[in-house]
Amino acid sequence: MTLTMLVAAAVAAYALGYSLLCFISPFGPCRRCDGTGNHISWWDKHRARTAPAAKPKRRIRKPCRRCKGTGARLRIGRRIHNHARRLHADGTR
């Protein structure tokens, strides 16, 4: 087996695994709020990392804007799938 075939097989296996993950679990945790749904300011996160002995303030001011407070986001692969399905449906009408 040549190196290019090995790389192609690895890429195909990764793509198949990711598409299966997007099919089974289309939502992943929000990166901005770490899946909590609550916005924590960057200063509070910084204080929690630099001074672990200090009790971090957990003042929740508002829900996360990126996920609208749900704590979940639609995976990129699922967005691509939804777009392709919508494009196909619009083109065959």
Side-chain angles (χ1 to χ4, degrees):
M1 192 178 234
T2 64
L3 183 62
T4 35
M5 289 180 66
L6 185 64
V7 169
V11 168
Y14 179 77
L16 181 66
Y18 184 69
S19 64
L20 184 64
L21 176 69
C22 289
F23 179 73
I24 293 172
S25 175
F27 293 99
C30 177
R31 291 188 195 131
R32 183 173 184 143
C33 64
D34 296 327
T36 62
N38 302 317
H39 175 70
I40 300 169
S41 70
W42 66 271
W43 178 249
D44 289 339
K45 284 183 184 180
H46 175 72
R47 279 186 48 212
R49 273 188 245 134
T50 56
K55 185 176 179 183
K57 292 190 302 184
R58 290 289 181 177
R59 293 187 324 179
I60 299 166
R61 296 190 181 119
K62 54 187 169 182
C64 177
R65 287 190 316 219
R66 183 172 288 175
C67 65
K68 297 178 183 65
T70 61
R73 63 170 177 83
L74 197 60
R75 294 184 193 272
I76 293 173
R78 190 62 184 201
R79 286 182 193 200
I80 292 171
H81 172 40
N82 289 348
H83 178 72
R85 191 179 60 198
R86 192 176 310 120
L87 188 65
H88 176 72
D90 290 344
T92 56
R93 287 185 185 173

